[in-house]
Amino acid sequence: MIRGIIMKERVLILGAGYGGSVIANVLAREFRNRIANDELEINLLDKNDINTNQGGYTFIPFELYTPEEITKPRKKLISPRVKTFFGEDGEVTSLDLPDQEVTVRSGKKYGYDYLVIAMGCRADIDAVPGLVDDLNTFYTSMDDAFKVRDLVKTIRNGKVVVAVASMPIPCPGAPMKFTFMLESYLRNIKKCEENVEKNCREDVELSMVWPIELIGPAEYNNLVTDECKRKDIKIIRNFQLARVDASKKELTSVNGEKLNYDILITVPPHKAPQVLIDGGLADENGWLSADKATLQYRGPVGNFDNVYVVGDLGPAEILKTGIGAHYQAIAVSHDIINSIYGNGIKTPYMGETGCPLVTELESAGTEGKGYIATWKYGVPLAPFTTTKMGWYFYRMYYHIHWDISVKGLF
Ligand SMILES: Cc1cc2nc3c(=O)[nH]c(=O)nc-3n(C[C@H](O)[C@H](O)[C@H](O)COP(=O)(O)OP(=O)(O)OC[C@H]3O[C@@H](n4cnc5c(N)ncnc54)[C@H](O)[C@@H]3O)c2cc1C
């Protein structure tokens, strides 16, 4: 307060995806009176006005969700107490952390006292030479997920390879989940055209190419390794994708190994938004550095306690998942709240994250099986198995996501 005048506090949130929306909604609830009294404002920016629950892309090839179920207009998800700017007035084109100013495509500038950078990450399809010549992926957009659906319908026989190019990627559990759903679909649902009594699975050689050794934490890796053996899915580990030769239908790893395929479904390499890389904010790995607990920015342009890094664009060593983005958003919201109240309370992110798994689709002859595996710093994932209840809960989650999770109600 200066000579009786109350200074207005300004919170600026970049990205109205999962993490950014949760923070905007939690702060708007907490500070409803201050906002009404014009003592505080929350500005939320995004380059577009539609929120997509990207997790739903994994299910589109099997027609388990519709586009309407996994997308919502951002306006419907965000408290009216938040000032939202979407499109030209919301697309971030530069950040000046020392001067506490963000510029957007229209040229407008926003100042702040607290800044949250929650702009996600994106696929970098040009990072692997030749990949664009045979790119089938459910990781990039709704349209691409539908193309994979159309491709899956054509599978009758041959070598089908699901390849993860490199790490890190958002939701590293999704490719395995997709592979199990594909296997279940070919075994239980898709009938062979020549003989409708027969399913397609026995004529398909299904492989999963994985860039590192372990698939998730030890217990996750154990479970998926056993399931793959049981389901005759070959796992090719430590195969980091260096090149795709579409004319020979051949993959080459960084170590020079070769692998042939008939149908290729790929998860491309990912990176932080280009504007952050171009602005010199990213570390040597191309991601935004932050303290693992406070999530405060600790990067090449300096250390800023009033700048928080949330979600997929964060440090490579923090797993990139929606579950993680949610818990990071809750921790950061409360840290901002406590800082504005000046009560000295700290609410660190404790590494809560997870990877939902599906090992079987629900079909005429099978029960769906799933599990939402979670863990945090110092509390490793416990042994688990996929269950019918896990399948139902995970399917249901996509509906409660919008009204419970994105609104920051837990
Ligand atoms: C295929 C797939 C399956 C997945 N499955 C799961 C799952 O089952 N469980 C799970 O927990 N997680 C899953 N995830 C991961 C989950 O979707 C992400 O971890 C989560 O969305 C990250 O939230 P975020 O807020 O960091 O980024 P996002 O939700 O991606 O939001 C980032 C926002 O920033 C905006 N933005 C980007 N650039 C700019 C700019 N220049 N200016 C303004 N705005 C900008 C974007 O438009 C976007 O709205 C999956 C992801 C994929 C791709």
Side-chain angles (χ1 to χ4, degrees):
M1 203 180 325
I2 303 169
R3 275 193 249 129
I5 301 168
I6 295 171
M7 299 295 287
K8 193 198 269 193
E9 308 251 25
R10 297 162 306 164
V11 181
L12 177 61
I13 305 167
L14 311 182
Y18 195 177
S21 299
V22 170
I23 295 174
N25 285 326
V26 172
L27 295 182
R29 256 195 320 278
E30 179 66 29
F31 291 123
R32 56 195 176 281
N33 293 331
R34 289 192 186 206
I35 293 168
N37 293 334
D38 206 25
E39 295 162 12
L40 186 142
E41 76 177 19
I42 304 164
N43 290 314
L44 175 65
L45 316 187
D46 204 289
K47 60 184 178 184
N48 63 49
D49 60 1
I50 298 290
N51 186 320
T52 303
N53 184 355
Q54 298 156 57
Y57 289 162
T58 318
F59 294 86
I60 290 284
F62 311 103
E63 301 185 318
L64 289 170
Y65 293 107
T66 63
E68 293 74 24
E69 285 168 323
I70 62 168
T71 55
K72 297 283 171 227
R74 297 193 198 279
K75 278 274 184 197
K76 290 198 169 172
L77 302 170
I78 304 297
S79 163
R81 298 183 183 103
V82 174
K83 291 185 182 167
T84 54
F85 301 89
F86 303 140
E88 293 242 308
D89 277 350
E91 182 175 350
V92 176
T93 51
S94 76
L95 294 90
D96 184 342
L97 301 191
D99 281 344
Q100 304 194 189
E101 191 172 74
V102 170
T103 308
V104 293
R105 180 147 311 281
S106 65
K108 196 171 170 177
K109 294 181 189 303
Y110 300 83
Y112 60 86
D113 300 298
Y114 297 90
L115 177 70
V116 177
I117 311 177
M119 289 152 60
C121 68
R122 59 180 200 86
D124 184 8
I125 57 173
D126 297 317
V128 175
L131 179 57
V132 287
D133 300 331
D134 202 353
L135 182 62
N136 306 297
T137 182
F138 57 94
Y139 252 74
T140 37
S141 68
M142 192 77 76
D143 283 351
D144 287 345
F146 273 107
K147 282 185 198 150
V148 173
R149 176 201 63 176
D150 296 342
L151 181 70
V152 161
K153 285 188 172 164
T154 68
I155 297 176
R156 285 184 179 77
N157 49 39
K159 288 185 184 176
V160 177
V161 172
V162 179
V164 178
S166 60
M167 285 291 161
I169 56 165
C171 197
M176 196 70 254
K177 185 172 31 183
F178 172 84
T179 307
F180 283 136
M181 290 202 280
L182 177 60
E183 198 278 336
S184 185
Y185 174 78
L186 296 174
R187 181 160 40 86
N188 301 308
I189 298 171
K190 190 169 190 306
K191 294 292 173 195
C192 182
E193 271 184 0
E194 297 75 42
N195 175 3
V196 289
E197 294 305 311
K198 189 180 155 201
N199 64 50
C200 290
R201 177 66 181 102
E202 56 199 74
D203 297 328
V204 172
E205 189 184 314
L206 183 57
S207 304
M208 163 81 162
V209 166
W210 190 249
I212 53 179
E213 176 63 29
L214 291 184
I215 302 179
E219 292 298 341
Y220 200 95
N221 183 65
N222 292 345
L223 187 138
V224 302
T225 304
D226 289 350
E227 282 286 322
C228 282
K229 263 189 212 137
R230 258 180 6 91
K231 295 176 191 292
D232 196 22
I233 300 169
K234 192 171 171 196
I235 307 176
I236 299 148
R237 298 174 195 261
N238 298 306
F239 191 108
Q240 204 174 321
L241 197 54
R243 201 164 48 252
V244 177
D245 186 334
S247 61
K248 291 190 191 159
K249 297 222 170 266
E250 183 184 78
L251 305 181
T252 306
S253 78
V254 291
N255 297 325
E257 301 121 303
K258 308 269 185 201
L259 183 73
N260 281 99
Y261 64 86
D262 295 310
I263 289 182
L264 176 65
I265 297 166
T266 319
V267 178
H270 277 68
K271 63 178 187 180
Q274 199 60 42
V275 58
L276 302 175
I277 297 170
D278 293 346
L281 270 71
D283 63 18
E284 65 282 4
N285 300 314
W287 302 99
L288 262 61
S289 281
D291 182 284
K292 273 177 73 180
T294 67
L295 302 174
Q296 288 161 319
Y297 179 83
R298 301 283 180 259
V301 295
N303 295 339
F304 294 93
D305 287 353
N306 64 336
V307 177
Y308 295 88
V309 171
V310 169
D312 285 357
L313 46 64
E317 64 274 18
I318 299 183
L319 208 66
K320 303 179 185 312
T321 68
I323 298 174
H326 180 95
Y327 281 96
Q328 290 168 30
I330 297 290
V332 164
S333 302
H334 288 288
D335 210 61
I336 293 174
I337 289 168
N338 290 325
S339 172
I340 287 175
Y341 287 146
N343 60 19
I345 298 173
K346 293 285 165 208
T347 55
Y349 171 58
M350 292 185 289
E352 300 96 331
T353 193
C355 261
L357 184 61
V358 170
T359 52
E360 199 74 75
L361 290 177
E362 180 89 16
S363 73
T366 51
E367 287 184 335
K369 283 195 174 168
Y371 187 77
I372 302 190
T374 58
W375 61 95
K376 57 183 177 177
Y377 297 152
V379 183
L381 173 63
F384 69 99
T385 183
T386 54
T387 64
K388 181 179 174 178
M389 190 49 78
W391 160 259
Y392 281 135
F393 183 74
Y394 188 37
R395 293 279 283 125
M396 190 172 64
Y397 173 75
Y398 281 87
H399 299 286
I400 62 179
H401 174 77
W402 301 115
D403 288 322
I404 307 283
S405 302
V406 173
K407 302 229 165 120
L409 292 176
F410 81 94

